[in-house]
């Protein structure tokens, strides 16, 4: 008689920590007051138009303010379904990527994830210059993980 596989069996801890932190951020956002949710969305979503504005016009006050959305948008999702599909893809790409990077080196995985997130955000800004539409989610970061695995 075969043993029933357990959920997340074989998924490295570094991937589970990443997925867990993204899920916790989403849950916290769901219970946050509306004003706080709007402020976090404005501060962490990638909004291309903000990169063309001055500080007084809704742009960024400094370099950190401009960088935060490039990596921070991965912790925001537009809904439960968006979060679900991003986490399914992360749990698929993560173990594959860890094989190539080394299971004993979680910082490499996280660096790849966030560098991919920044790359995805910069592509979004480049393709949609001046757009007021925010981009959120971990899709770009997970796509970078798949690309690293295939490379």
């Amino acid at each position: 008689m075969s043993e029933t596989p357990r959920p997340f069996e074989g998924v490295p801890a570094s991937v589970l920590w990443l997925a867990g932190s993204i899920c916790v951020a989403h849950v916290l956002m769901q219970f946050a007051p509306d004003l706080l949710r709007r402020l976090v969305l404005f501060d962490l979503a990638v909004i291309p138009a903000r990169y063309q504005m001055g500080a007084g016009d809704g742009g960024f006050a400094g370099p950190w303010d401009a960088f935060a959305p490039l990596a921070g948008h991965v912790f925001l999702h537009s809904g439960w379904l968006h979060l679900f599909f991003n986490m399914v893809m992360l749990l698929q790409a993560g173990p594959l990527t860890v094989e190539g990077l080394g299971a004993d080196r979680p910082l490499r995985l996280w660096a790849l994830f966030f560098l991919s997130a920044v790359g995805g955000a910069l592509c979004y800004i480049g393709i949609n210059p001046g757009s007021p539409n925010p981009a959120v989610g971990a899709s770009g970061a997970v796509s970078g993980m798949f690309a690293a695995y295939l490379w």
Side-chain angles (χ1 to χ4, degrees), residues 3-18:
E3 195 176 310
T4 305
R6 291 181 284 216
F8 309 116
E9 187 174 13
V11 178
S14 56
V15 175
L16 292 175
W17 274 101
L18 192 55

Side-chain angles (χ1 to χ4, degrees), residues 4-124:
T4 305
R6 291 181 284 216
F8 309 116
E9 187 174 13
V11 178
S14 56
V15 175
L16 292 175
W17 274 101
L18 192 55
S21 64
I22 293 169
C23 290
V24 166
H26 185 73
V27 169
L28 290 174
M29 285 292 287
Q30 298 308 302
F31 292 104
D34 189 51
L35 179 61
L36 179 60
R37 276 200 315 265
R38 289 174 192 253
L39 289 172
V40 170
L41 181 65
F42 185 73
D43 285 343
L44 292 182
V46 178
I47 304 171
R50 290 192 70 201
Y51 289 88
Q52 295 180 340
M53 298 176 180
D57 301 325
F60 300 105
W64 171 250
D65 293 334
F67 177 75
L70 299 179
H73 71 280
V74 300
F75 294 101
L76 304 175
H77 287 79
S78 62
W80 290 102
L81 194 59
H82 184 205
L83 176 70
F84 173 77
F85 281 113
N86 272 220
M87 293 306 98
V88 167
M89 297 307 291
L90 175 60
L91 293 173
Q92 288 295 311
L96 299 172
T97 308
V98 166
E99 277 182 31
L101 296 175
D104 58 337
R105 301 185 188 257
L107 292 180
R108 285 184 179 182
L109 175 77
W110 296 333
L112 172 66
F113 182 82
F114 286 107
L115 285 173
S116 298
V118 169
L122 292 174
C123 285
Y124 179 71

